[in-house]
Amino acid sequence: MDPLEPIRRVSQIREFTSGVVPDEAIDQLLELARWTGSSKNTQPWHFIVVRDRETLRKLAELRPNINWAAAAPVGIALVLTGEDAHSESYDEGRVTERLLTGATMLGYGAGVAWFGEPHHEAEAKRILGIPESRQARQMVLIGRRKSTRDPRPTGPPRGRRPLSELVSFERFGAPKR
Ligand SMILES: Cc1cc2nc3c(=O)[nH]c(=O)nc-3n(C[C@H](O)[C@H](O)[C@H](O)COP(=O)(O)O)c2cc1C
């Protein structure tokens, strides 16, 4: 089997079974996240593990696009220092991908939920007690995968563009010789 196949198959999960995600699994994911590379090794992140049903419900209510998050067993909210938006958004993407991939490799599924507009982010910070100066854009929801379905009435199509549309050789736009 292609050793990269398990990573290639990581997809956004929005429907979870009621199965528990034990603390040990969350600890493993946090350890994986902690070792993510970051700009100048600043490690600008902080993670909030959220299991409280009411808190998850309130966060999921911020925007219809993330309502599925209310039924997830556990979420990890990402908090950045807010000191360098440019590099921290890159770092945040890297650490998020580790959480998604790690959860999948442990036999779970995970999905990203962006809080949304600045006023949604402000409300998420209030709910989670995050200082205003910090950046908090999203949480990653984790659970046993029930399906890969997107339960929302309007979501992006699945699948990916072919490599032939994405890659050039030696110079932009040049095909492989
Ligand atoms: C920056 C970013 C923000 C996202 N925000 C949301 C979101 O708010 N709600 C949601 O259901 N999915 C969200 N997603 C998930 C994307 O819709 C998903 O990655 C994309 O559709 C590909 O899904 P697939 O890998 O399962 O094909 C987000 C993904 C990224 C990278």
Side-chain angles (χ1 to χ4, degrees), residues 11-12 14 63 65-66 68 112-114 152 156 158 160:
S11 62
Q12 166 89 2
R14 301 182 179 89
R63 222 162 48 89
N65 253 8
I66 62 169
W68 52 270
V112 172
W114 260 28
R152 303 169 303 168
R158 277 303 195 351
R160 297 294 188 267

Side-chain angles (χ1 to χ4, degrees), residues 118-140:
H119 68 278
H120 297 127
E121 291 185 6
E123 181 60 9
K125 285 199 260 188
R126 196 193 60 73
I127 293 168
L128 293 168
I130 300 167
E132 272 181 38
S133 61
R134 304 288 182 98
Q135 169 82 58
R137 231 189 305 255
Q138 53 141 337
M139 58 183 165
V140 174

